[in-house]
Amino acid sequence: MENRRDQMARELRRYYTLWRESNTMYEEWAKEQGLSLSTLLIVYALWEEEGCTQKQISRNWLIPKQTVSAALKEFEEKGYLELTPAASDKRNKQILLTDSGREFAGRIMTKLHARELYVMEQMGLDKMTEMNDALARFRDLFREGGAGGNE
């Protein structure tokens, strides 16, 4: 019979496997759209937070600044966005989607949201809420440290 510590270790391994598979799933979906995962997340950021800065995207999505910069340069060359000085700090540039940028991002985000909403409908809102609540609790407890976790 498996003891509690072994059960917890098994569930932690399961968590890591599911985490990696989830990331891979989004990477593969992004690739089907002709994007990398980082670029997909940048498109998501621009779609959801228009007017954000490169620094905000990098910080909020944990994408290296160089990766964000390269993607933004490519999008700018394609006419998908324009950079304007940020009102709060002229050293930073606000990123604004052009009409063609909104069309491009809209196509990607419509497909992504449709897939994600399908999953949510199949799972049910209660299960999705439970999943998010459990993940938030895991995050909070991990940040708390405990049992020598800050060494």
Side-chain angles (χ1 to χ4, degrees):
M1 181 177 213
E2 194 175 38
N3 67 34
R4 183 159 174 76
R5 189 158 180 86
D6 290 340
Q7 289 173 339
M8 291 186 341
R10 181 176 35 82
E11 284 304 314
L12 189 56
R13 285 190 305 273
R14 182 173 173 231
Y15 166 76
Y16 282 126
T17 298
L18 290 168
W19 179 30
R20 286 190 314 267
E21 288 174 354
S22 294
N23 284 333
T24 299
M25 179 181 67
Y26 274 90
E27 285 173 4
E28 290 170 354
W29 190 89
K31 189 175 180 181
E32 290 171 11
Q33 310 312 308
L35 304 171
S36 69
L37 178 59
S38 294
T39 307
L40 174 63
L41 296 176
I42 291 165
V43 169
Y44 188 95
L46 295 173
W47 184 254
E48 295 292 324
E49 308 166 42
E50 188 163 4
C52 62
T53 66
Q54 176 180 329
K55 185 176 181 178
Q56 289 169 324
I57 294 172
S58 180
R59 184 184 63 235
N60 294 348
W61 294 92
L62 305 175
I63 303 170
K65 286 183 197 175
Q66 299 88 337
T67 304
V68 175
S69 179
L72 293 178
K73 184 175 181 174
E74 182 181 331
F75 287 162
E76 189 175 25
E77 288 170 0
K78 290 181 176 181
Y80 292 163
L81 57 87
E82 52 189 39
L83 305 173
T84 61
S88 60
D89 182 354
K90 300 293 183 197
R91 293 173 296 170
N92 288 313
K93 304 260 191 229
Q94 267 189 311
I95 305 161
L96 302 172
L97 291 170
T98 62
D99 289 342
S100 62
R102 274 189 289 285
E103 184 180 317
F104 165 74
R107 280 193 313 267
I108 300 295
M109 296 312 300
T110 298
K111 288 184 208 174
L112 179 59
H113 287 325
R115 175 73 65 89
E116 292 169 329
L117 289 173
Y118 166 80
V119 171
M120 288 182 69
E121 287 171 359
Q122 298 306 305
M123 285 180 67
L125 184 58
D126 290 344
K127 288 289 184 195
M128 192 72 189
T129 301
E130 286 174 29
M131 182 181 79
N132 285 335
D133 290 346
L135 189 55
R137 178 84 171 128
F138 184 95
R139 177 206 59 209
D140 295 344
L141 291 170
F142 190 92
R143 282 184 177 157
E144 224 175 75
N150 291 328
E151 296 174 5

